[in-house]
Amino acid sequence: EPGTVVVIGGEKEITASTWGDRAVGVISTNPAYMMNKDLEGGVYVALKGRVPCKVIGAVKKGQRLIASNNGCAVAAVPHANDVFAVALESSDETGIKTVEVLV
């Protein structure tokens, strides 16, 4: 699903993230460059750039993001490891929503 935070491994080459995973990217909605476009059954993963991303919990523009459960990101605490993106917009919603991020 677009906006899903993904990690290497699991049943397939990439899977939706869980808490503590090292995220590698986000499933893209509109890829600028379609690397491996002839790959059967593949999906486009944003490795760099602006992309919608599923986030759980409140987030502020400029906050760093880390992988969380169910293919979502969550705002990182200061000095967190495994930061993979930065929020480009704010949301006070505490549930799952989609915000634009910079990977």
Side-chain angles (χ1 to χ4, degrees):
E1 179 178 313
T4 300
V5 178
V6 293
V7 300
I8 302 293
E11 286 186 30
K12 302 197 179 200
E13 187 173 52
I14 59 172
T15 55
S17 67
T18 58
W19 180 258
D21 286 342
R22 171 81 174 170
V24 296
V26 178
I27 301 299
S28 182
T29 54
N30 188 18
Y33 178 72
M34 294 180 279
M35 187 168 38
N36 300 320
K37 66 181 177 181
D38 296 327
L39 181 65
E40 190 175 315
V43 295
Y44 296 113
V45 178
L47 304 173
K48 282 284 186 198
R50 297 171 77 119
V51 63
C53 178
K54 294 193 301 185
V55 177
I56 189 164
V59 64
K60 292 184 178 156
K61 183 178 180 179
Q63 275 191 307
R64 298 172 307 142
L65 302 172
I66 59 174
S68 188
N69 291 327
N70 302 317
C72 293
V74 66
V77 297
H79 308 295
N81 292 327
D82 297 336
V83 170
F84 77 96
V86 176
L88 294 175
E89 57 185 320
S90 299
S91 174
D92 291 330
E93 276 186 54
T94 57
I96 297 174
K97 72 278 190 182
T98 302
V99 299
E100 189 169 20
V101 303
L102 177 64
V103 176

